[in-house]
Amino acid sequence: QVQLAESGGGLVQTGGSLRLSCAASGRTFGRYTMGWFRQAPGKEREFVAALSRSGGSTDYAESVRGRFFISRDIGKNTVYLEMSSLKPEDTALYYCAANALATLTARSGYDYWGQGTQVTVSS
């Protein structure tokens, strides 16, 4: 089992940048495909980005591709989501998640979730 804790959210102006962090504890970090998801008020939770357990493959939602970047630091057991050129439509609660079965990236089937960190982009 793995526990996840997100941080780094906040209020930023349109065009600004933020880096979200997801600290993992419990089982070895490299055993999971890691993902970021977000949920805006009144909307369904949606996939944002994923990183394979090997760290060699990434996947991004079309809406964030080229602006967001997922990475990890195995030594710190932390996954990051670097967000740039932020838009008001990026405003949401961002969640980190871990997938124990996927061998590459995945957009569903995540087993473990953090509590989320709020990102608000002002226009």
Side-chain angles (χ1 to χ4, degrees):
Q1 194 168 358
V2 63
Q3 294 78 44
L4 304 171
E6 304 93 337
S7 63
L11 174 65
V12 64
Q13 291 184 334
T14 296
S17 301
L18 278 176
R19 187 178 77 163
L20 305 183
S21 299
C22 172
S25 60
R27 295 188 65 189
T28 305
F29 195 53
R31 297 185 183 208
Y32 299 93
T33 286
M34 300 301 296
W36 285 95
F37 293 76
R38 66 187 182 186
Q39 187 168 19
K43 294 187 177 181
E44 297 283 323
R45 186 166 58 191
E46 64 175 0
F47 167 78
V48 175
L51 179 68
S52 64
R53 61 179 66 196
S54 72
S57 297
T58 57
D59 184 26
Y60 297 92
E62 187 60 35
S63 60
V64 307
R65 188 170 290 123
R67 300 188 298 122
F68 290 12
F69 179 69
I70 187 171
S71 63
R72 71 180 184 182
D73 185 329
I74 291 182
K76 294 183 178 179
N77 250 20
T78 301
V79 172
Y80 302 99
L81 184 68
E82 296 185 57
M83 308 183 295
S84 61
S85 301
L86 283 162
K87 306 173 182 180
E89 50 264 44
D90 294 318
T91 295
L93 187 61
Y94 282 72
Y95 297 92
C96 173
N99 185 318
L101 294 181
T103 53
L104 296 175
T105 57
R107 296 191 174 198
S108 62
Y110 284 76
D111 311 281
Y112 306 102
W113 296 83
Q115 295 299 308
T117 185
Q118 179 67 39
V119 172
T120 302
V121 185
S122 63
S123 57

